[in-house]
Amino acid sequence: MRVNNIGVRAHDFGQGEVAEIAHRIAQYPIKCVQLALTKSFPFIRAEPGQISPGFGNYVRDAFAQYNITIAVLGCYINPIHPDPVERELALQRFEEHLIFARDFGCAIVGTETGSRNADCTYHPDNASQAAFDELVVSIKRLTKVAERHGVFVGIEGVAHQHVINNYPRMTALLNAVNSPNLKVIYDPVNFYPNKSNIDQPQLIDDAFSAFGNAIVAIHCKDFVKKEHRKSVDLASGTGDMDHAYLLNVLKQKKPHIHVILENTDEKSIQAVLAYVSHAALNTECTGDITDSGSRAT
C-alpha cells in the first residue's frame, strides 16, 4: 500500500505568510495539509468576519502550485463552551469556515467535541447526558450550514477528556444529529484507554464496525504504553502504535483517504515519512496485517 494522501498539520511547520508556509511544506513529499488558519497565519484572528472567497482562493492556489491539497480546515472550537457569548462566537466562526471551505478547495471542517471547561480540559460532567444534549444542539446547527454549502463537519473524539469520549457516544452523536454532512475524523490513539494491555487491532476494527462509513480523514500519531496511563502527542514511529495494522485496514476500507501526520515538524518529517512508508510496505508485501515492529530514529 502506498500512502498516496499523506499529509501534515500546517501549523507544525510554524507560522508565516501563506506562500511561505506552502513553500516550507513543499520541500517534502507531502500531498495534503490540515490547515488551521489562526495557527498558521498570525494575521488571522480567532473571531468571525475575516474569511472571504478571495482569501480562500489565494490559499488554495498557493498550496496547489506544489500539488498540495487542503484536506481539512481545522477550526477546533468548544461547541459547549460554558460562556454562552463565547460559544456563540465560536459557532459563528465555525459556520464561516463551512461557508467558505469550498473556496479553499476543501470539503471538511474539523473540530473536537468540547468540554464543560472553557479550555476543553477534562470535566466530570463531560460524560453526562446534559453535556451530550448540548453538543447535539450545536452540531445540528453546524450541519445545517454544511448541508447548504455541500461540505462536511468533521468530528474528532477524545477518550477520557471530551464529550465524545468513546465509540458508543460517537455513534449516538451521528444518530442524534442524523445528517449526511456529519462525518468523523478518526484518530485511533485518541481512543486508546489509559492502560497497558491495549488490543489495538480490536479497537481499530471496532471503530470501523461502529462508524466506519462516516470516517473521512485519519489522524496519525503515536503513544507509549504506561502502567496506568499513556504518553501521547508523539510523532508516528516513536512509540507503540501499530501503524501497519491501521494502514492495512485503510487499504481495505478507505483507499486514498487523507492521512494527516500529527506532531511532525521539519526536524522529524523525514524519519516519520520513512517509517510510515515502511509500515505501508509491510501491508503490501504480506497482503495481511503485520506487526509494525521497528520505530523511526
Side-chain angles (χ1 to χ4, degrees):
M1 175 193 177
R2 290 177 173 82
V3 188
N4 294 306
N5 274 337
I6 198 74
V8 294
R9 299 184 307 190
H11 63 269
D12 285 331
F13 287 72
Q15 287 193 323
E17 296 297 321
V18 175
E20 177 187 1
I21 299 301
H23 180 264
R24 195 178 297 165
I25 294 171
Q27 303 311 301
Y28 308 96
I30 295 299
K31 295 299 184 183
C32 62
V33 294
Q34 176 164 313
L35 182 62
L37 300 177
T38 59
K39 292 183 177 182
S40 288
F41 310 132
F43 53 88
I44 298 293
R45 300 178 302 278
E47 59 188 54
Q50 300 169 83
I51 306 176
S52 67
F55 180 64
N57 292 168
Y58 174 69
V59 174
R60 177 199 64 200
D61 293 346
F63 283 88
Q65 70 174 315
Y66 302 110
N67 296 315
I68 298 172
T69 60
I70 299 172
V72 179
L73 279 179
C75 185
Y76 279 47
I77 64 171
N78 187 347
I80 63 162
H81 198 291
D83 182 335
V85 174
E86 292 296 325
R87 185 190 306 188
E88 177 61 26
L89 288 173
L91 292 172
Q92 288 180 17
R93 187 161 67 91
F94 198 99
E95 288 170 333
E96 183 178 71
H97 279 64
L98 291 168
I99 290 167
F100 295 110
R102 288 293 183 184
D103 297 303
F104 290 84
C106 181
I108 307 164
V109 182
T111 184
E112 290 171 343
T113 59
S115 169
R116 292 287 200 195
N117 288 331
D119 62 357
C120 287
T121 54
Y122 169 78
H123 190 289
D125 288 349
N126 290 346
S128 69
Q129 185 63 41
F132 179 86
D133 292 342
E134 286 183 24
L135 178 64
V136 169
V137 171
S138 291
I139 300 303
K140 279 187 174 181
R141 169 177 166 175
L142 297 178
T143 55
K144 287 180 181 179
V145 177
E147 289 168 4
R148 290 199 298 270
H149 293 274
V151 293
F152 303 103
V153 176
I155 292 295
E156 182 179 357
V158 181
H160 315 296
Q161 185 172 345
H162 294 164
V163 178
I164 301 304
N165 47 43
N166 56 42
Y167 293 168
R169 279 211 145 194
M170 180 67 81
T171 301
L173 179 65
L174 292 167
N175 291 337
V177 175
N178 191 28
S179 169
N181 294 73
L182 178 60
K183 302 298 182 182
V184 175
I185 299 171
Y186 179 53
D187 184 333
V189 173
N190 280 1
F191 284 103
Y192 288 171
N194 289 327
K195 58 183 181 181
S196 59
N197 57 333
I198 299 170
D199 186 345
Q200 292 189 48
Q202 188 63 58
L203 286 171
I204 293 172
D205 289 346
D206 287 348
F208 278 86
S209 295
F211 48 81
N213 289 346
I215 294 174
V216 291
I218 300 294
H219 279 176
C220 199
K221 62 187 177 195
D222 224 315
F223 74 105
V224 173
K225 297 177 183 178
K226 302 287 186 179
E227 185 175 353
H228 299 297
R229 60 185 177 85
K230 62 183 180 182
S231 295
V232 295
D233 296 333
L234 306 175
S236 291
T238 61
D240 299 308
M241 168 67 190
D242 189 344
H243 287 77
Y245 190 90
L246 173 64
L247 293 173
N248 196 48
V249 171
L250 297 181
K251 178 179 70 174
Q252 297 173 16
K253 298 181 180 294
K254 294 284 178 176
H256 298 279
I257 193 170
H258 293 117
V259 177
I260 307 296
L261 300 170
E262 292 196 343
N263 312 300
T264 301
D265 58 16
E266 290 177 274
K267 294 180 180 179
S268 61
I269 182 67
Q270 297 283 22
V272 172
L273 288 174
Y275 174 81
V276 172
S277 295
H278 177 73
L281 185 62
N282 281 347
T283 72
E284 208 170 65
C285 290
T286 64
D288 263 330
I289 292 134
T290 60
D291 183 10
S292 58
S294 61
R295 300 178 182 180
T297 58

